[in-house]
Amino acid sequence: LTISQWNSGGIFAANAAYRATSGTIPTTDTPSGSGKAALIRTIAWGHGTTSAGGATILKHVDRGELFLGKWEGGGDNGVMPTYGIAFASRPSSLSFYYKFTEVNGQKGSAEVTVFDAAGNKLASNSFEISAQNAYVLKTLPLEYAAGAAKAARVEVIFRSSAPGVSFGKSDLTWGSGSSQTHTGSMLYIDDIEFNY
């Protein structure tokens, strides 16, 4: 989920990271110490956001998301992602490595759901993520009822903060300078894998 919006102001403000950046970015901070992982951030963004110490203005603050699916919205029009992709198998679990920097009590989350062709849930699991300073492996088991229908779609969603939460200045660590960002809780995810 990209929550970026270029500033329409002058040349020096147009590229300010605190106005136009993504909630999810690559990071070299990984469990193995090599390669790249995903850093999913609650972040301030949008035209009119400023970086001025105590007088900082926050136009928008949203949780970051990493998910299977697609994004058809743009700007701040409130269009939500379309979660899920076609998927014809039934894994026994989803595993991933994570660590989490918690700001002002904001919790992250991970969820996985397998659906049949009629949109019924075949199996689902979720996990509320609290502060975790070093990477740990997490596994979410998936259990299916006897005689359950075939799988047709799967949703996997990682969020830096819970849905429906409102954010304010106290939920962010403020950056300074045009290359900095105003970030809240930060969720690091790597090695996402279905197990069978």
Side-chain angles (χ1 to χ4, degrees):
L1 176 61
T2 299
I3 45 182
S4 305
Q5 183 182 67
W6 288 109
N7 175 45
S8 58
I11 185 172
F12 297 109
N15 296 324
Y18 54 80
R19 287 183 176 154
T21 192
S22 178
T24 301
I25 59 173
T27 178
T28 56
D29 184 348
T30 67
S32 65
S34 63
K36 291 188 178 179
L39 170 53
I40 307 163
R41 315 174 293 176
T42 297
I43 198 162
W45 62 283
H47 173 60
T49 297
T50 64
S51 180
T56 292
I57 296 171
L58 306 176
K59 293 301 289 185
H60 308 284
V61 181
D62 284 302
R63 66 183 182 271
E65 293 189 6
L66 178 67
F67 59 89
L68 290 176
K70 60 184 177 179
W71 172 251
E72 298 180 88
D76 55 353
N77 60 8
V79 177
M80 294 299 293
T82 300
Y83 296 114
I85 60 170
F87 194 77
S89 65
R90 299 194 305 193
S92 59
S93 65
L94 176 79
S95 62
F96 55 92
Y97 282 91
Y98 80 94
K99 71 176 186 174
F100 186 61
T101 302
E102 186 178 308
V103 176
N104 201 25
Q106 299 289 340
K107 308 295 185 186
S109 66
E111 61 184 78
V112 55
T113 307
V114 180
F115 298 88
D116 66 16
N120 301 309
K121 288 184 182 181
L122 298 177
S124 184
N125 205 336
S126 62
F127 173 56
E128 182 181 79
I129 301 175
S130 300
Q132 175 64 42
N133 293 330
Y135 275 104
V136 295
L137 178 64
K138 179 66 179 179
T139 299
L140 299 178
L142 293 166
E143 297 181 4
Y144 304 86
K150 293 181 179 180
R153 189 170 63 89
V154 67
E155 292 180 3
V156 178
I157 309 168
F158 296 95
R159 294 183 172 105
S160 62
S161 301
V165 172
S166 297
F167 303 100
K169 289 184 179 180
S170 64
D171 299 313
L172 301 175
T173 301
W174 301 351
S176 61
S178 63
S179 65
Q180 301 301 308
T181 55
H182 306 316
T183 56
S185 296
M186 297 190 292
L187 174 59
Y188 296 75
I189 295 290
D190 200 13
D191 296 338
I192 306 163
E193 185 174 26
F194 280 122
N195 307 298
Y196 293 87

